[in-house]
């Protein structure tokens, strides 16, 4: 796994017992499970990743202790009580309507003393620098609030809401930190570059949120900022950590 500063921030918040059984909800592929296995060598006896489709399952070669399963988690977790030491989720809670149910399900599948880490970007707080302030702000906000077809729900403020969602349940001892990914290079493989390309779906799918002309000007602004040395990208991630009471 190519560790970014965010990955290290997540791993540094994680404590695992020997022989740990871990669960990744909304795993996409096995990237984070492999990251945990590499960062905690010999600590993990079983690592399960679940997602609503197997679309990303072939992106990485994975092996024991990692197992991937298709599971729609919006109505609960089809998993035994008290079966995991650690539960992880990244950029998934904003897509689930019944967030309180998922919190209670995470509590149910955790062993006594187990912990959960949920990592979510606060999408409306993403920052790009460029000349056309209004257009750049519009593009970021349009992406943050436009629901994609596969989503059950969408909350662009999910990062700042995660502490409250878990804390009000009374089931966890809660804490939260914020890690901002900061980049000054605009090129393939960087968070900011890749995110700018994702924003393109707003015009490609004719959502009405951003025209093709506006998107092209948005990209031109970022490229110009990069050429002049003014480019910066900041993506804030809220890292919620809960310990089962």
């Amino acid at each position: 796994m190519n560790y970014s500063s965010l990955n290290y921030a997540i791993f540094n918040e994680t404590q695992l017992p020997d022989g740990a059984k871990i669960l990744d909800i909304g795993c996409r592929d096995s990237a984070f499970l492999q990251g945990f296995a590499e960062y905690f060598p010999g600590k993990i006896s079983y690592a399960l990743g679940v997602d609503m489709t197997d679309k990303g399952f072939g992106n990485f070669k994975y092996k024991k202790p990692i197992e991937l399963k298709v599971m729609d988690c919006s109505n609960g977790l089809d998993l035994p009580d008290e079966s995991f030491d650690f539960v992880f989720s990244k950029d998934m809670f904003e897509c689930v309507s019944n967030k309180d149910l998922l919190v209670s399900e995470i509590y149910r599948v955790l062993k006594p003393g187990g912990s959960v880490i949920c990592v979510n970007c606060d999408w409306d707080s993403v920052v790009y620098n460029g000349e056309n302030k209004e257009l750049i702000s519009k593009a970021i906000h349009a992406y943050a609030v436009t629901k994609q077809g596969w989503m059950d729900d969408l909350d662009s403020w999910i990062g700042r809401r995660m502490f409250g969602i878990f804390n009000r349940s009374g089931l966890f001892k809660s804490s939260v930190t914020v890690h901002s990914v900061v980049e000054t290079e605009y090129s393939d493989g960087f968070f900011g570059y890749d995110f700018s390309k994702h924003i393109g779906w707003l015009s490609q799918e004719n959502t009405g949120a951003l025209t093709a002309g506006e998107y092209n000007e948005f990209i031109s602004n970022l490229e110009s900022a990069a050429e002049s040395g003014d480019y910066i990208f900041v993506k804030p991630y809220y890292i919620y950590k809960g310990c089962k009471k």
Side-chain angles (χ1 to χ4, degrees), residues 1 16 25 27 93 108 120 128 154 162 165 183 236 238:
M1 185 176 189
L16 299 178
I25 303 173
C27 66
F93 254 81
R108 181 183 63 80
N120 291 273
Y128 281 108
L154 176 61
M162 285 307 298
I165 290 171
E183 296 175 344
Y238 286 68

Side-chain angles (χ1 to χ4, degrees), residues 183-204:
E183 296 175 344
T184 55
E185 182 173 341
Y186 184 68
S187 60
D188 190 17
F190 283 81
F191 277 66
Y193 180 90
D194 294 344
F195 182 49
S196 73
K197 301 307 178 183
H198 292 163
I199 290 175
W201 83 272
L202 293 169
S203 61
Q204 295 160 7

Side-chain angles (χ1 to χ4, degrees), residues 30-183:
S30 61
F32 268 99
L33 290 177
Q34 292 190 74
F36 283 115
E38 292 171 12
Y39 198 81
F40 298 96
K43 278 263 188 179
I44 299 170
S45 64
Y46 180 59
L48 175 64
V50 298
D51 210 316
M52 64 187 302
T53 74
D54 63 357
K55 183 178 179 180
F57 287 8
N59 291 351
F60 293 92
K61 291 182 178 179
Y62 59 93
K63 57 185 180 180
K64 290 183 177 181
I66 296 171
E67 180 182 2
L68 303 183
K69 290 182 178 180
V70 173
M71 185 183 298
D72 183 354
C73 302
S74 59
N75 294 314
L77 300 174
D78 186 18
L79 297 166
D81 294 353
E82 299 185 354
S83 50
F84 293 93
D85 299 285
F86 174 68
V87 175
F88 176 76
S89 179
K90 178 180 177 294
D91 290 336
M92 182 265 192
F93 254 81
E94 66 265 39
C95 305
V96 177
S97 294
N98 196 339
K99 296 173 176 56
D100 292 336
L101 173 63
L102 188 53
V103 168
S104 65
E105 281 291 275
I106 289 172
Y107 178 85
R108 181 183 63 80
V109 302
L110 276 173
K111 296 178 182 179
S115 62
V116 53
I117 287 181
C118 288
V119 182
N120 291 273
C121 174
D122 205 64
W123 296 99
D124 251 338
S125 303
V126 171
V127 170
Y128 281 108
N129 187 36
E131 185 174 346
N132 194 330
K133 179 180 177 181
E134 291 74 19
L135 177 60
I136 292 172
S137 296
K138 178 180 179 179
I140 293 170
H141 181 69
Y143 182 89
V145 301
T146 304
K147 187 177 176 181
Q148 300 184 47
W150 56 270
M151 292 178 172
D152 183 41
D153 192 22
L154 176 61
D155 185 349
S156 62
W157 281 15
I158 191 64
R160 71 190 77 178
R161 297 195 200 278
M162 285 307 298
F163 176 84
I165 290 171
F166 274 87
N167 194 51
R168 69 176 179 237
S169 73
L171 301 174
F172 296 90
K173 181 180 179 182
S174 298
S175 62
V176 64
T177 58
V178 181
H179 178 85
S180 290
V181 173
V182 181
E183 296 175 344

Side-chain angles (χ1 to χ4, degrees), residues 212-234:
E214 287 174 326
Y215 176 68
N216 290 336
E217 185 180 347
F218 166 71
I219 293 296
S220 178
N221 265 248
L222 302 187
E223 292 173 343
S224 295
E227 290 173 5
S228 65
D230 295 318
Y231 174 82
I232 191 169
F233 170 77
V234 182

